[in-house]
Amino acid sequence: MNRKLVVLASLLLLAGCGADEQAPAEQPKGSAAEEQNDNKQHETEKEASSNTEQAETEAAAGLEGEAKEEAGQAVPQYRMKDDFSIQNIENPDEKVVLLTIDDAPDKYALEMANTLKDLNVKAIFFVNGHFIDTPEEGEVLKQIHQMGFSIGNHTYNHKTLKELTEEQQRKEIIDLNDRIEELTGERPQFFRAPFGMNTDYSKKLAAEEKMLLMNWTYGYDWEKNYQSKDALADIMVNTPLLRNGANLLMHDREWTSAALRDIVIGLEEKGYMIADPALIETPANQKTAAQ
């Protein structure tokens, strides 16, 4: 009986020794091995955190890009030069022109918008506030905007800004922006002063409102000799002033509306592309361009 107990005790002792040999030796506190393990764990955690932050940043950027795309925002392709012509940012030699229509929407703006839409080209309609005072007039502007055309500010009453006080200039510009936003949901990104005559104050207001200050390179439809369809179409296409980047000024007029189709076709036959104003760099979309 005593012999059995001795054997059993010996077997238990051997089993315990075997378990101790298989178990990893515990590292002393503060040892180099422990420090190495800690550093390795810290680097692993840091790398995981960095990867997580990068993934979150990329995901946020992707969502922001998708949001801009869904909102109809596009990276600008054109910029305006000091002479008010436009230029393709990546391809300066591209033959391109910009169409602009002032004093809208009087009597022919909607007809002109339909002509341009049928030709699949875009333009800026520069609006006077006194043409959108009534609900019916406002509906015309809404239709033009819903057709995809850019709406510009041409002041409320088309008065010479240099003859107005700063407060009067503010009302002419800001009140119109407010009215356009009320009708379309968007504030204009382009400003053109009546007769192309700006003041230091109007330039300041345009900058505050993030509007691109715009004049033109040529136009003819206010001259008596060109107040007919054929005469106007001919001069707009064959003028020596036509060049790469030209900024064409037209107005909401009967003869201009009649000539518009021939003007667009004539320009395209000469190899000019009609620029989409939504792709012009403005103070409002420069952040998008930088990204």
Side-chain angles (χ1 to χ4, degrees):
M1 187 71 175
N2 290 339
R3 186 180 296 175
K4 289 182 179 179
L5 289 173
V6 171
V7 173
L8 182 58
S10 299
L11 291 172
L12 290 172
L13 180 61
L14 289 172
C17 291
D20 288 342
E21 287 174 357
Q22 293 174 3
E26 183 179 352
Q27 299 294 341
K29 293 294 183 182
S31 68
E34 183 184 50
E35 184 177 351
Q36 185 177 4
N37 289 336
D38 288 345
N39 288 340
K40 193 174 294 183
Q41 182 179 0
H42 177 70
E43 289 175 2
T44 302
E45 292 174 351
K46 184 178 180 181
E47 182 179 355
S49 176
S50 177
N51 290 339
T52 301
E53 290 177 1
Q54 182 178 356
E56 289 175 349
T57 301
E58 291 175 354
L63 289 173
E64 185 178 0
E66 291 176 5
K68 285 178 180 176
E69 186 175 349
E70 289 175 2
Q73 296 178 5
V75 176
Q77 294 182 14
Y78 305 99
R79 65 167 54 99
M80 182 155 292
K81 299 168 66 177
D82 291 341
D83 62 357
F84 302 108
S85 65
I86 63 167
Q87 183 181 62
N88 187 310
I89 296 172
E90 295 185 358
N91 181 18
D93 295 327
E94 180 186 47
K95 291 181 69 174
V96 61
V97 295
L98 175 67
L99 304 182
T100 68
I101 299 167
D102 282 11
D103 300 346
D106 188 3
K107 296 177 181 177
Y108 303 96
L110 186 57
E111 179 181 307
M112 297 172 83
N114 280 313
T115 298
L116 294 171
K117 186 173 178 62
D118 184 55
L119 294 169
N120 196 32
V121 297
K122 297 294 179 65
I124 304 173
F125 283 81
F126 280 100
V127 171
N128 293 139
H130 60 84
F131 289 135
I132 53 173
D133 277 336
T134 69
E136 293 77 15
E137 292 170 337
E139 283 302 315
V140 172
L141 183 66
K142 282 184 182 180
Q143 290 182 56
I144 294 172
H145 178 261
Q146 289 167 357
M147 292 166 70
F149 294 100
S150 297
I151 305 301
N153 183 318
H154 197 38
T155 74
Y156 217 100
N157 295 294
H158 204 273
K159 295 181 177 179
T160 304
L161 295 177
K162 292 183 177 181
E163 297 175 357
L164 304 180
T165 66
E166 289 188 353
E167 181 58 33
Q168 289 171 329
Q169 291 180 60
R170 171 171 283 276
K171 287 187 66 62
E172 286 289 316
I173 297 170
I174 304 302
D175 284 5
L176 179 54
N177 272 2
D178 292 342
R179 176 63 173 154
I180 290 173
E181 184 177 26
E182 177 187 347
L183 291 168
T184 68
E186 297 179 4
R187 296 181 82 77
Q189 292 192 27
F190 304 97
F191 175 71
R192 176 176 279 161
F195 318 108
M197 298 171 62
N198 276 287
T199 66
D200 290 340
Y201 188 67
S202 69
K203 293 176 182 178
K204 177 184 175 183
L205 287 179
E208 290 176 356
E209 289 285 300
K210 296 182 179 180
M211 293 188 292
L212 180 64
L213 202 71
M214 182 179 289
N215 274 344
W216 59 88
T217 58
Y218 75 83
Y220 294 92
D221 65 355
W222 60 90
E223 296 183 20
K224 187 175 181 180
N225 291 340
Y226 303 111
Q227 293 181 3
S228 68
K229 173 186 173 182
D230 293 339
L232 181 60
D234 179 66
I235 191 65
M236 290 295 287
V237 173
N238 297 310
T239 175
L241 297 178
L242 175 61
R243 58 183 174 84
N244 183 14
N247 185 336
L248 281 58
L249 170 61
M250 294 175 283
H251 293 80
D252 182 337
R253 302 287 187 271
E254 181 179 8
W255 50 89
T256 310
S257 180
L260 188 55
R261 182 178 296 273
D262 289 345
I263 292 171
V264 172
I265 293 173
L267 292 169
E268 291 181 333
E269 287 178 347
K270 284 196 166 186
Y272 286 92
M273 188 179 77
I274 312 299
D276 183 349
L279 299 180
I280 298 175
E281 185 180 71
T282 71
N285 65 22
Q286 280 178 344
K287 182 177 180 182
T288 303
Q291 293 172 343

